[in-house]
Amino acid sequence: MKRTLYIVRHAKAEDRSAFMSDHDRDLVPEGIMASARMGRYLHEQGIHAGVLVSSTANRARDTAKVIAEQMGIDPQAIVLDEKLYEGGPKAYLAAVNSLPGDCESAMIFGHNPDVSYFAEYLTHQDVGSMSKGSVAAITFDNLNWNEVSGRTGFLAFYVTPKELLKQ
């Protein structure tokens, strides 16, 4: 069975402030629009995710909600994983390895540099620094989620919100 993981970096958020915790930073209007554009694009491409997992940080959670809404997925179904906030790539791997076996595709929403490192770890391909709001699709052939590890995936596509503006 072929499985697909969509790794999503949160969209543009408020700047860091001495008056606000990093965890509580919200999306700015540009980030909300970019998330909606990405969600519509994914929906138009016929992409569906059986499970959505997000960092608990406002900006990641809200990116997940907007994309889910555009894809026709109930935002209440998003699984929040506090370990994805500052947990490093190991937290992302743990989240993927614990996905249900009957799930063919999943989305995971998080933060840089972790999401970029994670995509490169899975594929051993140069992804670079993922742009805000971008999506990397990684496929796995004949693997269960609990078997996913380094160099087991293939980068199917990488798309940014800015690229979608050109279409």
Side-chain angles (χ1 to χ4, degrees):
M1 173 189 295
K2 185 177 195 174
R3 298 183 193 279
T4 306
L5 177 66
Y6 301 94
I7 300 175
V8 185
R9 181 180 178 193
H10 69 77
K12 186 174 174 127
E14 297 172 312
D15 291 332
R16 294 178 192 259
S17 164
F19 306 107
M20 175 189 316
S21 87
D22 180 65
H23 188 273
D24 295 336
R25 293 190 299 135
D26 291 322
L27 293 179
V28 296
E30 179 184 338
I32 295 168
M33 294 304 296
S35 297
R37 194 165 46 252
M38 185 61 71
R40 274 192 310 277
Y41 169 79
L42 295 171
H43 180 71
E44 289 167 358
Q45 299 303 307
I47 292 170
H48 181 75
V51 176
L52 283 74
V53 181
S54 175
S55 159
T56 55
N58 289 1
R59 59 195 182 275
R61 185 193 67 228
D62 290 345
T63 299
K65 284 182 179 178
V66 172
I67 287 178
E69 288 169 353
Q70 293 297 316
M71 294 179 70
I73 300 170
D74 182 0
Q76 297 297 322
I78 298 167
V79 176
L80 298 177
D81 186 340
E82 64 186 17
K83 293 175 186 161
L84 296 181
Y85 179 74
E86 296 187 335
K90 285 184 180 182
Y92 289 82
L93 183 60
V96 169
N97 288 159
S98 65
L99 289 168
D102 62 348
C103 173
E104 291 182 30
S105 62
M107 281 190 174
I108 192 163
F109 297 82
H111 311 272
N112 237 8
D114 296 347
V115 291
S116 296
Y117 293 154
F118 187 51
E120 290 183 347
Y121 168 76
L122 293 176
T123 64
H124 197 59
Q125 292 177 260
D126 184 18
V127 176
S129 180
M130 289 181 65
S131 301
K132 292 175 183 166
S134 64
V135 176
I138 300 173
T139 59
F140 304 92
D141 291 328
N142 301 314
L143 288 179
N144 292 316
W145 291 116
N146 61 359
E147 298 171 314
V148 168
S149 64
R151 298 181 181 205
T152 58
F154 304 92
L155 184 64
F157 70 80
Y158 171 73
V159 64
T160 69
K162 286 184 181 178
E163 290 172 345
L164 298 180
L165 283 174
K166 298 174 187 174
Q167 294 182 358

